[in-house]
Amino acid sequence: MPVEEPEFDLQVAGRTPIAERVVLLSLVRPGGGPLPAWTPGAHVDLLLAPGLVRQYSLCGDPGDQYVFQVAVLREAAGRGGSEHVHDRLTEGDTIRVRGPRNHFPLVASPRYLFVAGGIGITPILPMVTEAATRGADWRLVYGGRTRPSMAFADRLTREHPTRVQLCPEDETGLLDLDSLLAVPRPDTLIYCCGPEPLLAATEKHCATWPPGTLRVERFVPKPEPADTQPSAFEVELSLTGTTLTVPPDRSILEVVEEAGVAVLSSCREGTCGTCETTVLAGTPDHRDSLLTEEERKAGDVMFICVSRAVTSRLVLEL
């Protein structure tokens, strides 16, 4: 079952430009007090306006119980979230926040390779600090359009001069994944976040690495195969015994909501993880951008905003 998450008002205590088109927000409780605990890789929902909910990775210090920090890139062709943050949100404003949740956790490993592109550095930033604290061997390769556009670049190279490689595209070209990922290592976990071309290329290069090596986080949905043709199927809601039909042109989430079942949801595109639901029977057709291949094969959870069914019937813990 989706777990009810904390939702609360926070105040913008700081709003600082940190790179070209990137602003860092520091969020605190209006009257002071601690915030929910989080771990590297976690994100929160910002409820910016009615119908405008966006997810942003927490990029501050997990040890600081009193401040959440998120860095927001102004997207040239965005859907209104980053524009709202950059143009309307000011210091002192109050904003509704939900979370945090983490579908991109830092799993224990003796060695890490972090690959970040652009604003994809945000979930990686607290990970490198955690890796260093754990005494792990790690390396970060960070690409961006230009050096001034790369958030936290100066801080990273100052704090970790021998472990961080900056690759501004106008100076060095695209990241050299051929060399970086040429030799699989069984003792290494790879964490990658950034634009879709980088993620797709990294996935391709890691195909020969041991299963479970690569962990990625997407800010936009993974592209659907061109030949995808949805079909109708049934879902049984185990907590009520109700059986519903999901037609080809509607999601499970839409159908169960119409039937009066309250399900916590946010992005509705398979990237935030809010609508995670336990599968009791049947085989899901996973179409989210979150689960690893191992988690997909297990088939015990699914994200009902986008995923469908391979079998004619699913039994869900709803």
Side-chain angles (χ1 to χ4, degrees):
M1 285 286 291
V3 177
E4 191 69 26
E5 296 172 306
E7 188 173 303
F8 40 86
D9 288 328
L10 294 184
Q11 189 173 47
V12 181
R15 186 182 183 284
T16 308
I18 57 171
E20 289 180 352
R21 301 188 298 126
V22 180
V23 64
L24 180 69
L25 300 181
S26 296
L27 307 173
V28 301
R29 291 195 184 276
L35 296 167
W38 61 281
T39 54
H43 68 265
V44 292
D45 296 344
L46 299 189
L47 286 67
L48 299 170
L52 189 63
V53 182
R54 294 293 182 266
Q55 293 76 43
Y56 296 105
S57 297
L58 291 169
C59 59
D61 177 8
D64 188 339
Q65 302 179 358
Y66 297 91
V67 181
F68 280 170
Q69 287 190 319
V70 297
V72 182
L73 168 69
R74 185 186 185 107
E75 299 281 1
R79 297 172 298 154
S82 65
E83 178 184 3
H84 183 100
V85 170
H86 279 256
D87 293 346
R88 303 185 186 183
L89 204 59
T90 61
E91 195 166 318
D93 284 352
T94 299
I95 186 172
R96 196 75 174 165
V97 177
R98 183 190 299 138
R101 76 182 68 89
N102 196 346
H103 288 280
F104 192 46
L106 187 67
V107 177
S109 176
R111 189 185 309 272
Y112 299 97
L113 172 60
F114 300 107
V115 182
I119 200 63
I121 191 61
T122 51
I124 300 295
L125 186 67
M127 287 187 179
V128 300
T129 302
E130 178 66 17
T133 300
R134 294 179 184 179
D137 186 10
W138 64 273
R139 177 186 179 193
L140 167 63
V141 180
Y142 176 18
R145 293 182 300 103
T146 64
R147 195 174 294 266
S149 73
M150 299 170 67
F152 307 111
D154 290 342
R155 169 183 162 183
L156 284 163
T157 53
R158 182 178 65 253
E159 294 180 354
H160 311 286
T162 63
R163 295 185 180 270
V164 175
Q165 179 183 354
L166 297 185
C167 302
E169 186 177 347
D170 63 338
E171 299 177 23
T172 63
L174 296 174
L175 297 185
D176 185 5
L177 298 180
D178 289 334
S179 298
L180 192 63
L181 303 173
V183 181
R185 296 193 58 157
D187 62 348
T188 301
L189 289 183
I190 302 171
Y191 281 79
C192 181
C193 187
E196 181 58 32
L198 173 63
L199 299 180
T202 303
E203 288 174 331
K204 181 179 178 180
H205 280 81
C206 287
T208 58
W209 285 62
T213 294
L214 176 63
R215 315 295 173 99
V216 303
E217 180 165 69
R218 284 178 160 86
F219 294 142
V220 296
K222 189 174 183 178
E224 285 281 343
D227 58 351
T228 300
Q229 295 182 345
S231 57
F233 58 95
E234 291 185 337
V235 291
E236 178 184 334
L237 312 185
S238 68
L239 300 184
T240 64
T242 303
T243 297
L244 304 170
T245 298
V246 181
D249 61 341
R250 304 194 69 196
S251 69
I252 299 174
L253 179 60
E254 291 171 333
V255 170
V256 298
E257 284 181 331
E258 188 176 79
V261 179
V263 179
L264 195 64
S265 65
S266 182
C267 73
R268 295 179 177 258
E269 58 184 18
T271 58
C272 75
T274 311
C275 66
E276 181 176 351
T277 302
T278 299
V279 179
L280 301 177
T283 303
D285 176 10
H286 295 291
R287 303 188 181 191
D288 63 273
S289 302
L290 290 159
L291 295 177
T292 65
E293 285 305 313
E294 290 72 25
E295 291 167 336
R296 288 171 181 252
K297 290 175 183 177
D300 53 358
V301 297
M302 67 185 300
F303 298 99
I304 61 174
C305 64
V306 291
S307 295
R308 302 185 66 80
V310 173
T311 50
S312 62
R313 186 182 182 90
L314 292 174
V315 180
L316 305 179
E317 193 177 19
L318 288 174

